[in-house]
Amino acid sequence: MATIYCTATSLDGFIADDEESLSWLFATPGHDKDPQGHYGDGETLDFDQFIPTVGAVVCGANTYAWVHRELTQGGQAFAWPYEQPSWIVTHRDLDLPKGVTSFAGDVRELHAAATEAADGKDVWIVGGGDLAGQFADAGLLDRVWIHQTPVTLGAGAPLLPRRLRLQRVRVERDG
Ligand SMILES: NC(=O)c1ccc[n+]([C@@H]2O[C@H](COP(=O)([O-])OP(=O)(O)OC[C@H]3O[C@@H](n4cnc5c(N)ncnc54)[C@H](OP(=O)(O)O)[C@@H]3O)[C@@H](O)[C@H]2O)c1
């Protein structure tokens, strides 16, 4: 099992624009699968394949707020989109759905709980970047899996605001 920060990013290293929007991401063409069911060159960021490998989900407060906004904008009741045990890292007093727990403090404690809940599967750090960085600071971030889009934003929420040396494992073209 691994702790993985998996996210999409702009070319200049932002995961959301300065209005906390992901419209630039959803407007990026090239996500269609080929007839074999692959994206681009092969095994790229395919959430259909990724999600079953995830045993626990960890998400920052602003990211949770974005998910909440997106999923309720038509006036529908909010339902957290993941079945896995999930943690929202926040100091806010949130009314969270079943299966979603709030956490505040040192991510080493959260990592232990999420790892146990994941039961041998991976722990997914959804974002944001500083939250992934807190896991990296504690030596608990195993993998960074980014889907880089050919868009520059100039400003926004940073991908991973730390100075880290990573090992490049694989690069594939998606669409
Ligand atoms: N491109 C993508 O695929 C992707 C992926 C993920 C997110 N996003 C976007 O990125 C944006 C959010 O990023 P963000 O950088 O603002 O970060 P975030 O991690 O979602 O939220 C940061 C907030 O989480 C809380 N927090 C973080 N660490 C904590 C800790 N150890 N204990 C308690 N609370 C803690 C703090 O809020 P409080 O103290 O106020 O609770 C902090 O201000 C959103 O717009 C989201 O949609 C995009």
Side-chain angles (χ1 to χ4, degrees):
M1 70 131 295
T3 299
I4 304 174
Y5 175 36
C6 176
T7 184
T9 177
S10 70
L11 190 61
D12 53 347
F14 297 106
I15 61 171
D17 70 19
D18 55 5
E19 295 181 339
E20 291 200 2
S21 169
L22 299 187
S23 57
W24 53 275
L25 175 61
F26 299 130
T28 303
H31 295 288
D32 293 338
K33 290 181 184 178
D34 69 18
Q36 282 73 44
H38 295 131
Y39 290 82
D41 292 341
E43 232 186 292
T44 51
L45 184 52
D46 179 349
F47 274 99
D48 295 344
Q49 291 172 24
F50 175 63
I51 289 298
T53 69
V54 170
V57 175
V58 174
C59 177
N62 294 341
T63 301
Y64 177 79
W66 180 87
V67 173
H68 195 286
R69 274 198 309 278
E70 279 296 300
L71 298 185
T72 57
Q73 63 183 352
Q76 58 276 53
F78 177 63
W80 180 238
Y82 305 109
E83 295 172 354
Q84 292 90 339
S86 301
W87 280 265
I88 308 305
V89 182
T90 187
H91 298 100
R92 303 170 207 179
D93 185 17
L94 298 173
D95 182 18
L96 296 171
K98 193 167 173 284
V100 184
T101 309
S102 75
F103 175 88
D106 189 329
V107 297
R108 285 174 293 191
E109 199 184 311
L110 172 56
H111 183 264
T115 301
E116 188 181 348
D119 196 23
K121 290 188 168 186
D122 295 331
V123 175
W124 175 27
I125 314 298
V126 182
D130 183 71
L131 179 58
Q134 292 174 47
F135 282 84
D137 292 344
L140 295 171
L141 186 63
D142 301 308
R143 204 175 304 160
V144 177
W145 187 10
I146 62 167
H147 189 151
Q148 189 176 51
T149 58
V151 174
T152 59
L153 297 171
L159 171 64
L160 220 181
R162 295 290 190 284
R163 186 168 181 143
L164 299 172
R165 170 68 62 188
L166 307 177
Q167 181 194 358
R168 188 182 63 187
V169 175
R170 197 163 71 204
V171 177
E172 289 176 359
R173 178 174 167 272
D174 178 1

